[in-house]
Amino acid sequence: MKPLIYIMSLCCAIVLSGCATPPPAEPENLCSIFKENRSWYKAAVNTREKWGVPVHVPLAMMYQESSFKHNAAPPMEYFLGFIPIGRASDAYGYAQAKTQTWDDYVRETGNSWSSRSDFDDAMDFMGWFIYKTNKVNGVSKWDAKNQYLNYHEGWGGYKRGSYKAKKWLVPVAQKVDSRAKRYAQQYHGCKDDLDSSWLWRLFFG
């Protein structure tokens, strides 16, 4: 029995390691990101179709949160400079999703096998969050700046204006907004090529 458990654990580890994709070589260029990682484009399109979220907004937010690292996490904090006492939060993965928020997403969507270190799941999570932000606080799904402020502060925090007390946060949100606009412009220039190539791979690859 034990050898079987060991083999199953090993197989799971191999599968999970296969899901880990290195950050893209050109993260400032949306076309390059998708050409390097074709499956990421499929995930982005699926998110758009499921949640009505434009492709460029969640990608711009994700880059800010994790730099597209599958195992991103807040830095470790230390007592007296050398005794580790834990991380500032339990945010983790591509979307830097907190455990409680991720659990809410799983409960509402039924995506119980999802993982924060899987790109497809992280994109679906961000699509869900952006969709909910639109419903809860009336923020447009195309408004990357205020979508990011909701993402960082939570729906209640945004409604209370908690971000106004954080002088550093609004410039970061503006940075996300600028990147989203660049991504949108880039995507406009390569969408047809990506779609034709993606469809060809999907049906004939």
Side-chain angles (χ1 to χ4, degrees):
M1 189 67 177
K2 287 185 178 180
L4 179 60
I5 295 174
Y6 174 77
I7 292 171
M8 290 176 66
S9 299
L10 182 61
C11 289
C12 288
I14 292 172
V15 170
L16 289 173
S17 65
C19 294
T21 304
E26 298 181 56
E28 293 289 351
N29 189 308
L30 192 66
C31 298
S32 296
I33 291 172
F34 288 145
K35 287 176 182 177
E36 182 178 344
N37 299 297
R38 297 287 178 164
S39 64
W40 286 17
Y41 183 54
K42 182 178 180 181
V45 170
N46 288 342
T47 297
R48 181 185 66 198
E49 293 178 350
K50 181 177 180 180
W51 300 109
V53 174
V55 165
H56 57 279
V57 173
L59 266 294
M61 292 167 59
M62 184 180 288
Y63 182 25
Q64 181 62 42
E65 289 296 282
S66 70
S67 297
F68 300 119
K69 296 175 183 176
H70 77 281
N71 60 349
M76 182 66 70
E77 295 185 340
Y78 296 87
F79 176 66
L80 298 178
F82 65 94
I83 303 174
I85 58 174
R87 302 184 187 277
S89 79
D90 59 9
Y92 180 76
Y94 282 112
Q96 282 290 274
K98 294 181 179 179
T99 301
Q100 182 177 344
T101 312
W102 188 269
D103 289 345
D104 290 341
Y105 155 76
V106 170
R107 185 178 65 255
E108 291 191 14
T109 63
N111 192 10
S112 56
W113 291 98
S114 60
S115 168
R116 288 182 282 182
S117 61
D118 181 84
F119 184 85
D120 289 28
D121 292 334
M123 277 297 295
D124 192 62
F125 168 80
M126 297 192 84
W128 167 82
F129 195 97
I130 292 169
Y131 171 85
K132 293 269 291 187
T133 296
N134 175 250
K135 293 295 184 182
V136 174
N137 283 331
V139 176
S140 169
K141 298 172 188 177
W142 281 259
D143 184 351
K145 176 183 175 181
N146 286 293
Q147 282 286 345
Y148 183 76
L149 290 174
N150 273 269
Y151 197 76
H152 194 278
E153 297 297 282
W155 298 307
Y158 177 84
K159 192 172 292 186
R160 294 190 301 272
S162 60
Y163 59 90
K164 296 175 183 177
K166 301 176 181 179
K167 301 299 182 183
W168 57 271
L169 182 55
V170 172
V172 172
Q174 291 172 334
K175 182 179 179 182
V176 172
D177 189 62
S178 295
R179 179 177 292 117
K181 290 174 180 175
R182 288 198 304 274
Y183 276 178
Q185 185 175 21
Q186 292 162 355
Y187 182 52
H188 179 74
C190 66
K191 181 180 182 299
D192 290 344
D193 179 58
L194 285 168
D195 285 342
S196 59
S197 177
W198 173 56
L199 288 171
W200 178 266
R201 288 171 179 267
L202 180 64
F203 292 108
F204 306 105

